[in-house]
Amino acid sequence: MDTLKGHMLLDWLRTPEADPPKVAGLWGEVAHRVKRVQILKDRQIEQEQARLAQFLSAIDASPNGVMMLDEGEQITWISSNAALHFGLDPKRDLMQRVTNLVRQPAFVRYLAAGEYGEAVKCAKAGGNGGHLLIQVQRYGDGNQKVVISQDITERERADTMRRDFVANVSHEIRTPLTVLSGFIETMGALPLTEVERKRVIELMSQQAERMQTLVADLLILAQIEGSPMPPPDRWVRADRLMQRIESDARGLSRERHPMQFTLDEQGQHGEIAGVESEWLSAMGNLVSNAIRYTPEGGHIHVRWVNLPDGGGEFSVKDGGIGIAQEHIPRLTERFYRVDGSRSRETGGTGLGLSIVKHVVQRHGGELRISSEPGKGSTFTLTVPAARVRLSA
Ligand code: ADP
């Protein structure tokens, strides 16, 4: 009898997925105990698997890419970001030799050299100019490797922008400085008549003024970039902004341009949320551009309207020289000018429209530009409904 039970138990142990045999006595006890050990083990394995899955999903969430290689440099695991960085498929490419799939010479050489003290820079998959910084670490018994990749495309772009910006600023300052020091030398070296002396001083003060304007614009940009987002509940009256802008504009134009300033019935009660000095700077820049790029006699029309959707629109329309279509998308880049000498002659810094764009974006609005060479331009700032209201 016992032999039969023993056999039943043995049969079950050979296919343990099945239920244990229902036998009484000692063999029954053994079957019960074995089943319990089995359940405990299964539970432990499940827990371990869940922990591993959690661990891997934490690594997967890292902005860096992580790829694990076995001793034969075959991919044993790859995070989603690493797959993106190297252009791999996290499932299909498992157990493939990494250098069969990632063929970038810099990476292949680095991996083969076995010297992983420093990271190596490689092109990012996709071929649109992006770069990765790749670092390999050995782990386990020293033959397995983990490849960590970091996307440095944005950092490089920011570095280039910063370098270009510093180069541009230096150039903009160097030119008037060279002129100024030339005049200083002239004044020291040559006996000048009173008329000549006056003329030289006038030219010197023009150059000094140019530098001052540039530094002032740079400071505005730095201040805007470094300050918190404009408050959504500090209200500025549209009519007050218009008054300030009108008086500055008339001073600048000195009656050379017929000007019209319009605030419709609703606009009289319009209010805009945000930072008053920033709005003044943005709107003022558009008006001063209209004046500077419109020959004497050309019309300028400045308007604020409250829109039916609850938002608002500030626009400056001029009858000036206009802008060719191909320049329009680049106008808000720092120091971008269609005609450098005209911009400088009229006291331009090349920073005005980048200030305008920054201010508008910070307030959730938009800058629209339409223009036709020889006919004139319209610059429009739209302000979203959340930042416009009608005063009581
Ligand atoms: P700037 O100080 O040179 O005027 P901005 O950033 O204000 O710099 O403008 C960039 C360029 O856009 C100007 O150099 C000029 O070529 C062009 N521009 C801006 N506003 C106008 C306008 N109203 N009419 C024609 N061209 C304009």
Side-chain angles (χ1 to χ4, degrees):
M1 192 64 183
D2 268 358
T3 325
L4 180 63
K5 286 180 185 170
H7 274 292
M8 283 168 76
L9 193 66
L10 202 59
D11 280 349
W12 170 61
L13 285 174
R14 285 185 184 129
T15 51
E17 312 75 59
D19 282 336
K22 292 200 171 39
V23 287
L26 185 66
W27 288 116
E29 174 81 16
V30 171
H32 175 69
R33 298 269 162 204
V34 170
K35 183 68 188 170
R36 275 201 41 200
V37 170
Q38 206 181 45
I39 290 172
L40 273 175
K41 276 271 175 266
D42 283 353
R43 210 172 286 158
Q44 248 173 10
I45 291 172
E46 259 169 42
Q47 277 172 355
E48 288 305 322
Q49 274 172 342
R51 205 174 306 162
L52 180 65
Q54 224 174 18
F55 185 68
L56 289 178
S57 73
I59 300 181
D60 201 52
S62 155
N64 290 339
V66 180
M67 173 161 60
M68 298 203 204
L69 307 179
D70 64 12
E71 49 285 345
E73 290 180 353
Q74 290 176 324
I75 302 170
T76 54
W77 188 80
I78 180 162
S79 74
S80 340
N81 274 330
L84 213 68
H85 291 169
F86 293 105
L88 299 175
D89 185 310
K91 291 213 173 75
R92 192 196 57 212
D93 293 335
L94 285 187
M95 296 322 287
Q96 300 286 325
R97 201 184 160 86
V98 67
T99 42
N100 288 345
L101 303 172
V102 181
R103 293 175 178 275
Q104 298 212 29
F107 174 70
V108 174
R109 249 183 280 126
Y110 175 73
L111 197 64
E115 278 295 321
Y116 306 135
E118 279 182 23
V120 67
K121 188 171 132 180
C122 285
K124 191 182 163 191
N128 41 16
H131 283 113
L132 301 173
L133 209 55
I134 301 172
Q135 173 94 53
V136 172
Q137 296 281 349
R138 295 177 200 278
Y139 75 100
D141 60 9
N143 289 321
Q144 286 122 310
K145 292 167 191 140
V146 55
V147 181
I148 298 165
S149 53
Q150 188 188 2
D151 188 344
I152 53 167
T153 314
E154 269 314 306
R155 199 208 300 168
E156 283 192 322
R157 199 168 295 155
D159 279 352
T160 312
M161 266 176 64
R162 201 172 44 235
R163 262 199 307 276
D164 287 354
F165 183 64
V166 171
N168 279 324
V169 170
S170 314
H171 175 78
E172 295 288 333
I173 289 184
R174 193 175 54 187
T175 316
L177 255 184
T178 312
V179 179
L180 260 180
S181 45
F183 283 139
I184 292 169
E185 227 168 84
T186 311
M187 286 187 88
L190 299 175
L192 299 178
T193 65
E194 189 56 20
V195 176
E196 285 168 337
R197 207 179 63 88
K198 271 210 175 116
R199 178 71 189 132
V200 166
I201 287 181
E202 196 183 303
L203 291 169
M204 283 170 78
S205 81
Q206 268 173 19
Q207 298 301 322
E209 212 172 287
R210 201 173 133 187
M211 284 197 289
Q212 266 168 351
T213 324
L214 175 66
V215 172
D217 273 0
L218 286 171
L219 286 174
I220 292 177
L221 257 184
Q223 199 212 343
I224 294 174
E225 278 175 351
S227 52
M229 288 307 273
D233 54 359
R234 195 179 330 143
W235 295 93
V236 188
R237 281 175 50 174
D239 61 346
R240 283 244 294 275
L241 283 173
M242 284 292 267
Q243 273 162 18
R244 294 268 303 268
I245 285 159
E246 179 170 354
S247 88
D248 289 350
R250 295 205 185 278
L252 205 61
S253 160
R254 282 178 276 125
E255 304 197 338
R256 284 172 299 152
H257 308 92
M259 282 194 208
Q260 204 183 341
F261 290 83
T262 320
L263 260 176
D264 66 3
E265 178 70 23
Q266 277 207 326
Q268 309 270 354
H269 304 283
E271 290 187 327
I272 311 170
V275 183
E276 182 167 8
S277 59
E278 290 187 20
W279 280 120
L280 268 177
S281 170
M283 295 171 174
N285 261 305
L286 292 185
V287 178
S288 106
N289 279 355
I291 296 168
R292 290 169 40 235
Y293 298 105
T294 301
E296 191 161 350
H299 276 263
I300 292 169
H301 187 183
V302 183
R303 220 157 70 104
W304 167 263
V305 282
N306 282 70
L307 298 173
D309 71 357
E313 203 173 82
F314 174 84
S315 63
V316 183
K317 182 174 189 311
D318 67 53
I321 60 173
I323 307 154
Q325 207 56 34
E326 72 260 27
H327 295 291
I328 292 182
R330 300 199 56 193
L331 291 183
T332 55
E333 287 174 22
R334 293 164 183 191
F335 298 112
Y336 187 85
R337 295 158 163 125
V338 176
D339 173 351
S341 57
R342 178 163 189 137
S343 157
R344 289 186 189 91
E345 257 169 43
T346 56
T349 59
L351 293 174
L353 289 180
S354 46
I355 294 175
V356 176
K357 187 176 170 195
H358 234 84
V359 169
V360 178
Q361 280 183 341
R362 277 163 53 77
H363 287 82
E366 211 186 320
L367 167 67
R368 288 203 306 264
I369 307 171
S370 67
S371 187
E372 212 179 313
K375 292 234 168 91
S377 319
T378 305
F379 286 76
T380 308
L381 302 184
T382 53
V383 189
R387 285 191 178 268
V388 178
R389 73 174 186 190
L390 292 174
S391 63

